[in-house]
Amino acid sequence: MLDAESQNAVAVSREMIVVEASARYGDFTVEHEDHISLCQPESRTSNTYIRLTSFLQSNKVNRRRLPDNLQTVPKMAMSLHSDLLVEVQKILRTGPAAVALCGMGGVGKTTLAKLLFNELCAEYEYTCFIPRCTDMKNTKEIEDKVNSSMHHLGKQLTQGVEKWNPTDLRQQTLLLVLDDIDNGSHVAFLQDIVLKNDCANSRYIVTCRDRNILNSLDSCVFDVKFLNPESSTKLFMSYAFPYPTEPSPSLNKWVPKIVAKCDGLPLTLEVIGTYLKTKVRESIWMECLQALDEAKDVGRLDDKLWAQLRVSYDRLGSQEKEIFLDAASFFSNSSWKLREAKACWRVLYGYKDIQWQTLIDLSLVYDVTEEKSIQMHEQLRSLGIRLASGWGTGGRCRTWTPKNVPSRFNSSNYNESIAEGQFYSNDPGSSSTDMGTHIEEVIALRISRGTPIEVRDYDTLTFKGIIPLLHEHSMLLDLRDIGQMKKLQYLDSEVFMRNEVGGKLPKNVTLLRLRGDVNNLHDLVDRGLARSLAVLDLRAPLTCLPTTVSDFQNLEVMKFAKCLFEDLPEAFGQLPRLRHLTFRWCENLRSLPEAFGGLSQLQSLKLKDCWSLEALPDRFGNLSQLQSLKISGELSQNCLRASEICPSYKAW
């Protein structure tokens, strides 16, 4: 006989063993009886018999099995997605019947769906996991795949008259996963399955890149988020250094740089980590970091990464593709806001908000307000820049960058007399292998302070020599080149340019930022530029605005800085689409015209350090759409009417 203390110790030990066994093998119960009493209960009415039979009955449906359709998941997947996994499991066990996992390609939707399937499949009579539904474009294909992949009690079924039929699913518990659905027919098929199954305890999981196609599906939608820096580092290290060894100091310094460039995307962390495994040369790690930045094909990244990310881009319509390329190659990581981009797209593509929402729904861009800069994932931005640089377009290019410019801008040995005819040729087929693009094809041009401008005609010399190079890949550019860019839509110049540039601009320019000796806007109007211009940012000693300023009928954003004009023409009030207007350091500006009140769409007005401006016009109160008013300088001290006119008025 054991004493009381020993009996307690045995009981505790037994409970610990059972708990451990339960975690490994399934459901257990603890009974404080000896072996004979458990195996041979005294009667059917004994407490031991009743407890055991009740326990077995309650676990009949939920008994643990080892299904042969368990999904393979990457290592560390459980720990990386643990919080979301618990949350989704809770929803699946309480309702609704369908759960959708949404996010950009490579974020871990499929991995999470596999984890959920593995955790839950033993609780359902019928189970089925269908990968890559995007490869199945019609209902018949996906129906055949489901029929051939169905499992019953963990074992695969063979479809046939005597063996099983889809009608067998009626009112049976079913766990169905459809991975990467991408069109309405996939949703319609799932809805048909739900209707035929007609079982309240069945559950359905879908993964999708496009949130828009989920609108008709009664589901709880979860956005799968990017990994945080700590989890990203752990995942990357598990692939790059799978063995219990530490990276060398020379490689260790590259780890945080590469992890940061992966921007929390599990697919990139896995692909890059796997590629760098066993790579001990520091130059290879440096090359890999550059490949991420420029979407290069290093270690078959085209197949393993960029092609995967391009799937969402390929689903876009033609105008949506143009908007994405503009966003990635020009507007992203710049000082321009989403509202400036939208203003341009309305002119260029007849833009409507639904096109931008499509990019958001496909997780190609982040959802930001119009007052913020366009943001997107690092790899998608790199992909967009590469696509905009001619990838898959026969060498044609839309952006003017140091990597794309013709060799005559990058090599002192380039034979200009041979290439001159080709460079300005209208025939795309005449380009040489040394040239990245034809200048006529350039759509976007940003001239930063590190861009050297070559001037051949010293009678029109704007710069004293050439602006010094800030990096070895800077490009040479002269004013003639800008005039040759017949398709130019965006010109963003941060450097000082002379007055003649206005007369050289192509007529398709919708966004124009100029800094320089531009003293009037007549050339912009006279050459037809006013027809398409949507955004104008001018920092120049402008002495007057022409009365033809009203010709800028599509202008939505206008910014003036350091201009010398004293007043504005009455025609200024005839800009029907002007929404955002800014004056900075226009110290000679004395008054705004009475017609200013005719700007019916004006939403924001900023007046910074316009010291000569003493009062607002009487008709200022007619600005019914004005939402934001900021004033600094003398006017802000005595502008009592401002707060009455615009409740959001702030002294700047």
Side-chain angles (χ1 to χ4, degrees):
M1 292 289 293
L2 297 174
D3 55 25
E5 183 176 352
S6 298
Q7 288 180 353
N8 289 337
V10 170
V12 171
S13 175
R14 181 171 58 184
E15 283 201 41
M16 292 178 63
I17 293 172
V18 169
V19 169
E20 181 180 355
S22 299
R24 291 184 179 181
Y25 306 113
D27 297 306
F28 280 74
T29 182
V30 177
E31 294 294 330
H32 297 282
E33 303 285 350
D34 56 45
H35 179 75
I36 295 178
S37 297
L38 286 172
C39 296
Q40 298 178 346
E42 294 180 0
S43 67
R44 292 178 180 274
T45 60
S46 68
N47 289 335
T48 302
Y49 181 86
I50 292 173
R51 286 199 300 269
L52 283 175
T53 55
S54 175
F55 172 76
L56 294 173
Q57 184 66 29
S58 66
N59 285 279
K60 182 178 180 180
V61 176
N62 295 326
R63 61 187 179 274
R64 294 280 180 172
R65 297 182 291 269
L66 295 176
D68 59 15
N69 60 340
L70 287 176
Q71 302 297 305
T72 302
V73 295
K75 54 186 176 180
M76 296 185 64
M78 181 74 78
S79 62
L80 294 176
H81 297 281
S82 58
D83 292 341
L84 185 57
L85 186 67
V86 171
E87 185 179 0
V88 178
Q89 280 190 80
K90 182 179 179 180
I91 293 294
L92 285 170
R93 286 195 166 99
T94 59
V99 163
L101 306 175
C102 203
M104 72 172 281
V107 78
K109 304 182 299 297
T110 300
T111 298
L112 184 58
K114 289 179 177 180
L115 286 171
L116 289 167
F117 183 84
N118 290 348
E119 287 292 306
L120 300 172
C121 63
E123 302 175 15
Y124 295 83
E125 296 293 320
Y126 289 87
T127 57
C128 184
F129 190 104
I130 305 299
R132 294 190 59 80
C133 290
T134 185
D135 293 339
M136 293 165 268
K137 298 305 181 183
N138 57 62
T139 302
K140 184 65 169 63
E141 286 186 52
I142 193 170
E143 183 179 359
D144 290 344
K145 185 66 175 178
V146 168
N147 291 339
S148 63
S149 304
M150 188 63 66
H151 286 63
H152 180 247
L153 299 180
K155 303 301 179 182
Q156 187 168 8
L157 295 172
T158 302
Q159 188 178 8
V161 177
E162 298 180 355
K163 296 190 176 181
W164 100 279
N165 191 284
T167 57
D168 297 339
L169 292 176
R170 184 165 181 80
Q171 295 188 338
Q172 302 295 317
T173 58
L174 167 66
L175 177 63
L176 174 64
V177 177
L178 300 181
D179 175 48
D180 202 12
I181 64 174
D182 70 345
N183 61 65
S185 66
H186 294 161
V187 174
F189 172 79
L190 178 58
Q191 292 171 328
D192 185 58
I193 286 284
V194 173
L195 186 63
K196 290 178 179 178
N197 178 238
D198 192 25
C199 180
N201 293 323
S202 293
R203 293 294 181 262
Y204 311 92
I205 303 171
V206 299
T207 71
C208 183
R209 301 187 188 208
D210 187 355
R211 177 182 280 269
N212 187 55
I213 69 173
L214 300 174
N215 291 340
S216 59
L217 184 65
D218 182 17
S219 63
C220 182
V221 180
F222 288 88
D223 289 312
V224 182
K225 305 297 184 182
F226 301 111
L227 300 179
N228 60 39
E230 181 181 358
S231 298
S232 296
T233 301
K234 288 181 180 179
L235 182 60
F236 173 77
M237 294 293 285
S238 71
Y239 285 104
F241 301 96
Y243 312 111
T245 57
E246 292 292 326
S248 64
S250 62
L251 298 182
N252 201 37
K253 67 180 182 181
W254 291 100
V255 171
K257 296 179 181 179
I258 290 179
V259 169
K261 185 59 67 174
C262 292
D263 203 12
L265 189 66
L267 174 63
T268 312
L269 292 161
E270 177 186 349
V271 170
I272 298 300
T274 302
Y275 171 69
L276 290 175
K277 183 176 64 175
T278 72
K279 303 293 191 302
V280 296
R281 291 173 54 188
E282 187 176 355
S283 60
I284 296 179
W285 284 61
M286 185 186 307
E287 181 185 7
C288 195
L289 181 63
Q290 185 180 11
L292 283 175
D293 196 38
E294 300 179 3
K296 286 186 174 180
D297 183 18
V298 173
R300 293 186 59 215
L301 287 187
D302 271 359
D303 295 331
K304 297 178 180 179
L305 178 60
W306 306 122
Q308 299 297 320
L309 297 180
R310 184 170 172 170
V311 170
S312 295
Y313 168 82
D314 288 337
R315 294 177 186 172
L316 297 174
S318 58
Q319 290 186 347
E320 291 162 347
K321 286 181 177 179
E322 295 294 320
I323 290 173
F324 172 74
L325 295 178
D326 288 347
S329 62
F330 183 77
F331 288 105
S332 180
N333 282 11
S334 74
S335 60
W336 298 110
K337 311 301 183 197
L338 176 58
R339 68 186 181 196
E340 279 100 14
K342 285 186 173 182
C344 295
W345 295 334
R346 287 187 184 97
V347 175
L348 293 170
Y349 313 121
Y351 170 80
K352 291 180 174 54
D353 286 340
I354 191 172
Q355 295 166 307
W356 182 250
Q357 188 61 46
T358 298
L359 269 62
I360 295 174
D361 290 340
L362 284 169
S363 301
L364 289 169
V365 296
Y366 299 151
D367 191 3
V368 299
T369 61
E370 291 193 3
E371 293 73 28
K372 295 185 178 295
S373 299
I374 291 175
Q375 300 175 30
M376 60 180 61
H377 190 273
E378 276 285 332
Q379 268 75 78
L380 288 175
R381 179 174 177 270
S382 297
L383 174 67
I385 291 174
R386 180 178 175 185
L387 289 168
S389 300
W391 184 32
T393 58
R396 298 178 63 184
C397 171
R398 60 188 289 123
T399 54
W400 185 269
T401 69
K403 296 293 184 181
N404 300 331
V405 297
S407 299
R408 77 179 182 91
F409 291 105
N410 291 325
S411 173
S412 58
N413 297 323
Y414 188 77
N415 190 327
E416 184 172 337
S417 62
I418 296 176
E420 185 73 14
Q422 296 177 328
F423 183 65
Y424 293 107
S425 169
N426 291 322
D427 177 16
S430 65
S431 61
S432 71
T433 56
D434 289 330
M435 293 190 290
T437 182
H438 283 270
I439 199 167
E440 295 91 344
E441 300 297 327
V442 175
I443 291 176
L445 171 63
R446 177 175 288 117
I447 306 175
S448 66
R449 295 186 182 278
T451 306
I453 307 294
E454 181 183 40
V455 181
R456 302 176 186 175
D457 184 358
Y458 286 89
D459 291 333
T460 61
L461 183 64
T462 302
F463 308 99
K464 294 182 179 179
I466 296 177
I467 298 179
L469 291 173
L470 296 186
H471 51 80
E472 62 180 352
H473 297 300
S474 292
M475 53 189 169
L476 295 175
L477 191 68
D478 65 19
L479 299 184
R480 176 190 172 190
D481 298 323
I482 298 177
Q484 290 291 324
M485 297 176 181
K486 304 300 184 183
K487 297 183 180 180
L488 189 66
Q489 295 172 357
Y490 310 114
L491 173 56
D492 184 0
S493 175
E494 297 177 357
V495 302
F496 202 81
M497 303 183 75
R498 65 179 291 112
N499 187 40
E500 283 82 352
V501 73
K504 296 178 180 292
L505 291 178
K507 296 181 180 181
N508 295 320
V509 173
T510 58
L511 179 147
L512 175 62
R513 171 153 53 187
L514 285 180
R515 303 288 184 263
D517 188 24
V518 182
N519 58 29
N520 66 71
L521 293 181
H522 285 288
D523 282 338
L524 298 182
V525 177
D526 294 344
R527 292 182 60 84
L529 190 64
R531 174 177 53 83
S532 55
L533 199 62
V535 178
L536 175 62
D537 184 346
L538 193 61
R539 181 170 179 171
L542 193 67
T543 56
C544 69
L545 289 181
T547 56
T548 51
V549 69
S550 58
D551 288 355
F552 291 93
Q553 293 292 293
N554 286 311
L555 199 62
E556 292 191 27
V557 180
M558 181 180 279
K559 301 179 182 181
F560 294 107
K562 292 192 174 182
C563 295
L564 301 180
F565 44 68
E566 296 183 1
D567 51 28
L568 305 176
E570 289 293 324
F572 195 87
Q574 302 173 20
L575 299 173
R577 295 193 178 184
L578 188 61
R579 299 172 185 268
H580 307 282
L581 177 61
T582 301
F583 295 92
R584 295 174 184 262
W585 311 297
C586 297
E587 299 181 359
N588 294 345
L589 181 61
R590 296 181 179 276
S591 63
L592 301 176
E594 283 298 321
F596 198 86
L599 298 173
S600 59
Q601 298 300 313
L602 192 65
Q603 298 176 4
S604 68
L605 173 63
K606 298 178 181 179
L607 296 163
K608 181 176 178 60
D609 295 342
C610 299
W611 299 103
S612 300
L613 188 61
E614 298 178 352
L616 299 175
D618 293 337
R619 290 183 57 192
F620 197 82
N622 293 350
L623 301 174
S624 59
Q625 299 297 316
L626 192 62
Q627 302 170 9
S628 174
L629 175 61
K630 293 183 179 181
I631 301 177
S632 72
E634 188 71 24
L635 183 60
S636 66
Q637 305 301 319
N638 52 26
C639 191
L640 301 179
R641 297 178 55 230
S643 58
E644 299 175 3
I645 297 170
C646 183
S648 62
Y649 163 70
K650 292 181 180 180
W652 205 348

